[in-house]
């Protein structure tokens, strides 16, 4: 087995809930040692989201597998001193508190850089570090609404806008956050200097919708809800004969192959669809024709037909379908993991493969403070000193 990409990288992780933890769990899967800093007694609030009767919390373990945990009182000077010692021994610090929180704790960029000049300090916020809403509280759904996700799922007029799929802004924000951290690590290796990087949920949502926003901002086609602002793209959702749903999408040069896949070559010479302009002008009729054909066969029979003609298509999958999807399993995007406490669990794996090796699920998330003693020993605390810190309520 090749050495994991991030083997030897140590991350001191103050992030909580999902935006930040989804970034650091990607790093953990690729071999980084991620040390999760948590509050005494309660820990990360996500430990308690949807917890089962046996104590298992899927939401927490999804974003904290493979990490270590130290429980410490960050408001105490003793706790802050312990963090300073850990900072000297890590490569990255991550946080996603409201702007200003880490500074009030004495753990901002300037304070931690003084402890470790080569530190990568990564901060993720809701709305970004500047502007009138820089210090506003935000959640995934708020960012989705601000960044266009709710509008794109809605309908104009008197009908309400559709909600934003809750995980999407956090997961997108996490990917951007992880990329910023990785880029900062590369820059540090090149320059030998510490780096300070900042991302936000709002900025990540805007970036994810760049084609549509750019089109509107620059006077191109004005996008409408549920439509991409690309005049040569055809998309369709249609039901097969079995009631399952299929999605088809093609760019201009796939028009004739799509007609072949449908066994409707007559559409190629149909006056309503002869040119791109004709197809756009008669889009509703075109979609009706295609949907009528798709309805003649079970939905699952269509993707192989479209694949043979290089026309993009897929079944519209719900979460249970994804969990048992052969394609997902073949790429280890869905894996089975054995845990001595909870038995065999099916879980989403790493989306990244490097040098032929997929990122690995090494363990579930840690118990609160399970690594406190070990980490304190690493920074030179003797057993009696650790006992005193615990008795004083500094660590747990």
């Amino acid at each position: 087995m090749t050495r994991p990409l991030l083997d030897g990288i140590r991350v001191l992780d103050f992030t909580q809930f999902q935006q930040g933890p989804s970034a650091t769990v990607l790093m953990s899967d690729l071999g980084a040692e991620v040390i999760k800093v948590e509050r005494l007694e309660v820990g990360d609030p996500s430990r308690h989201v949807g917890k089962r009767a046996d104590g298992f919390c899927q939401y927490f373990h999804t974003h904290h597998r493979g990490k270590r945990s130290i429980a410490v009182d960050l408001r105490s000077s003793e706790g802050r001193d312990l963090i300073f010692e850990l900072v000297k021994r890590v490569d990255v610090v991550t946080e996603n508190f409201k702007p200003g929180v880490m500074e009030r704790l004495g753990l901002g960029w300037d304070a931690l850089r003084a402890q470790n000049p080569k530190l990568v300090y990564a901060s993720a916020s809701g709305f970004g570090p500047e502007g009138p809403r820089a210090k506003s509280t935000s959640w995934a759904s708020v960012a989705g609404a601000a960044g266009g996700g709710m509008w794109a799922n809605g309908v104009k007029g008197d009908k309400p806008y559709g909600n934003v799929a809750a995980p999407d802004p956090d997961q997108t924000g996490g990917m951007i956050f992880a990329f910023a951290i990785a880029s900062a690590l590369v820059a540090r290796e090149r320059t030998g200097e510490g780096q300070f990087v900042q991302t936000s949920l709002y900025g990540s949502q805007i970036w994810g919708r760049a084609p549509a926003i750019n089109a509107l901002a620059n006077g191109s086609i004005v996008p409408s809800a549920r439509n991409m602002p690309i005049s040569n793209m055809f998309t369709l959702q249609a039901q097969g004969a079995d009631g399952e749903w299929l999605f088809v999408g093609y760019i201009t040069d796939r028009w004739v192959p799509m007609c072949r896949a449908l066994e409707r070559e007559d559409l190629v010479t149909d006056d309503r669809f002869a040119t791109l302009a004709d197809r756009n002008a008669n889009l509703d009729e075109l979609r009706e024709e295609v949907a009528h054909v798709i309805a003649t066969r079970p939905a699952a029979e269509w993707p192989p037909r479209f694949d043979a003609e290089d026309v993009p298509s897929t079944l519209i999958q719900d979460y249970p379908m994804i969990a048992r999807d052969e394609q997902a399993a073949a790429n280890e995007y869905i894996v089975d993991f054995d845990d001595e406490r909870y038995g065999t669990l099916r879980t989403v794996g790493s989306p990244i493969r490097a040098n032929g090796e997929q990122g690995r699920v090494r363990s579930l998330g840690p118990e609160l403070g399970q690594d406190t003693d070990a980490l304190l020993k690493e920074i030179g605390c003797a057993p009696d000193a650790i006992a005193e810190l615990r008795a004083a309520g500094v660590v747990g």
Side-chain angles (χ1 to χ4, degrees), residues 182-205:
S183 298
L185 284 168
V186 171
R188 187 193 69 169
E189 292 305 305
R190 289 177 171 174
T191 66
E193 298 176 355
Q195 306 290 324
F196 179 33
V197 291
Q198 297 169 286
T199 68
S200 72
L201 286 171
Y202 184 43
S204 299
Q205 285 294 285

Side-chain angles (χ1 to χ4, degrees), residues 262-298:
L262 293 168
E263 297 182 353
R264 285 293 307 273
E265 287 92 341
D266 62 291
L267 294 177
V268 175
T269 56
D270 191 311
D271 289 340
R272 296 172 297 170
F273 315 126
T275 68
L276 173 61
D278 293 330
R279 293 194 287 277
N280 284 331
N282 298 291
L283 193 55
D284 288 341
E285 293 178 60
L286 174 55
R287 284 176 169 154
E288 283 185 20
E289 293 280 5
V290 176
H292 178 74
V293 178
I294 288 173
T296 63
R297 296 177 181 273

Side-chain angles (χ1 to χ4, degrees), residues 31-159:
E33 177 188 345
V34 180
I35 303 166
K36 183 169 180 57
V37 181
E38 300 190 71
R39 290 182 293 174
L40 299 178
E41 298 181 0
V42 295
D44 187 322
S46 69
R47 286 183 175 275
H48 313 287
V49 177
K51 183 185 291 187
R52 294 190 325 206
D54 64 356
F56 179 71
C57 177
Q58 180 64 59
Y59 183 71
F60 175 79
H61 290 292
T62 294
H63 300 107
H64 297 95
R65 64 188 185 210
K67 300 179 183 179
R68 305 173 76 186
S69 171
I70 180 171
V72 59
D73 181 7
L74 298 178
R75 295 167 298 180
S76 69
S77 59
E78 296 91 342
R80 185 169 57 252
D81 289 342
L82 294 174
I83 294 299
F84 284 163
E85 290 301 316
L86 285 170
V87 165
K88 295 174 183 177
R89 295 164 171 81
V90 301
D91 302 280
V92 181
V93 164
T94 60
E95 63 91 8
N96 66 342
F97 296 120
K98 286 176 59 176
V101 170
M102 288 290 276
E103 285 74 17
R104 289 197 297 272
L105 291 169
L107 301 172
W109 162 236
D110 289 333
L112 297 192
R113 178 174 53 174
Q115 303 297 323
N116 182 352
K118 294 186 66 176
L119 182 69
V120 168
Y121 189 105
S123 175
S125 62
F127 287 97
E130 305 293 338
R133 302 210 67 194
K135 296 186 178 180
S136 297
T137 299
S138 182
W139 300 100
S141 55
V142 174
M150 185 170 287
W151 175 82
N153 287 324
V155 179
K156 281 189 173 181
D158 58 358
K159 295 183 180 179

Side-chain angles (χ1 to χ4, degrees), residues 86-365:
L86 285 170
V87 165
K88 295 174 183 177
R89 295 164 171 81
V90 301
D91 302 280
V92 181
V93 164
T94 60
E95 63 91 8
N96 66 342
F97 296 120
K98 286 176 59 176
V101 170
M102 288 290 276
E103 285 74 17
R104 289 197 297 272
L105 291 169
L107 301 172
W109 162 236
D110 289 333
L112 297 192
R113 178 174 53 174
Q115 303 297 323
N116 182 352
K118 294 186 66 176
L119 182 69
V120 168
Y121 189 105
S123 175
S125 62
F127 287 97
E130 305 293 338
R133 302 210 67 194
K135 296 186 178 180
S136 297
T137 299
S138 182
W139 300 100
S141 55
V142 174
M150 185 170 287
W151 175 82
N153 287 324
V155 179
K156 281 189 173 181
D158 58 358
K159 295 183 180 179
Y161 287 108
N163 200 2
V164 181
D168 292 347
D170 269 333
Q171 295 298 105
T172 302
M175 288 186 286
I176 297 296
F177 195 38
F179 177 74
I181 296 167
S183 298
L185 284 168
V186 171
R188 187 193 69 169
E189 292 305 305
R190 289 177 171 174
T191 66
E193 298 176 355
Q195 306 290 324
F196 179 33
V197 291
Q198 297 169 286
T199 68
S200 72
L201 286 171
Y202 184 43
S204 299
Q205 285 294 285
I206 293 173
W207 179 84
R209 292 176 173 81
I213 294 171
N214 288 346
L216 181 60
N218 294 286
S220 299
I221 296 171
V222 178
S224 59
R226 296 186 181 277
N227 282 300
M228 287 290 291
I230 304 175
S231 62
N232 65 341
M233 176 178 284
F234 168 89
T235 61
L236 172 83
Q237 301 87 35
Q239 284 181 290
D242 55 354
E244 293 293 329
W245 285 88
L246 183 80
F247 178 84
V248 183
Y250 82 96
I251 305 297
T252 303
D253 65 351
R254 296 290 88 197
W255 163 240
V256 174
M258 187 184 79
C259 293
R260 286 200 300 264
L262 293 168
E263 297 182 353
R264 285 293 307 273
E265 287 92 341
D266 62 291
L267 294 177
V268 175
T269 56
D270 191 311
D271 289 340
R272 296 172 297 170
F273 315 126
T275 68
L276 173 61
D278 293 330
R279 293 194 287 277
N280 284 331
N282 298 291
L283 193 55
D284 288 341
E285 293 178 60
L286 174 55
R287 284 176 169 154
E288 283 185 20
E289 293 280 5
V290 176
H292 178 74
V293 178
I294 288 173
T296 63
R297 296 177 181 273
E301 293 186 13
W302 284 110
R305 289 173 172 268
F306 285 121
D307 287 345
E309 298 290 348
D310 289 331
V311 175
S313 72
T314 181
L315 293 177
I316 298 178
Q317 300 192 119
D318 58 23
Y319 295 163
M321 292 169 71
I322 296 169
R324 59 177 182 267
D325 180 40
E326 179 183 1
Q327 180 67 22
N331 288 281
E332 298 180 65
Y333 301 148
I334 300 290
V335 297
D336 289 335
F337 179 80
D338 292 324
D339 181 80
E340 61 182 16
R341 296 164 294 175
Y342 305 113
T344 301
L345 302 168
R346 179 155 292 185
T347 185
V348 173
S350 172
I352 299 171
R353 178 168 297 216
N355 304 314
E357 296 286 342
Q358 197 74 12
R360 296 293 174 185
V361 179
R362 294 176 292 168
S363 67
L364 292 184

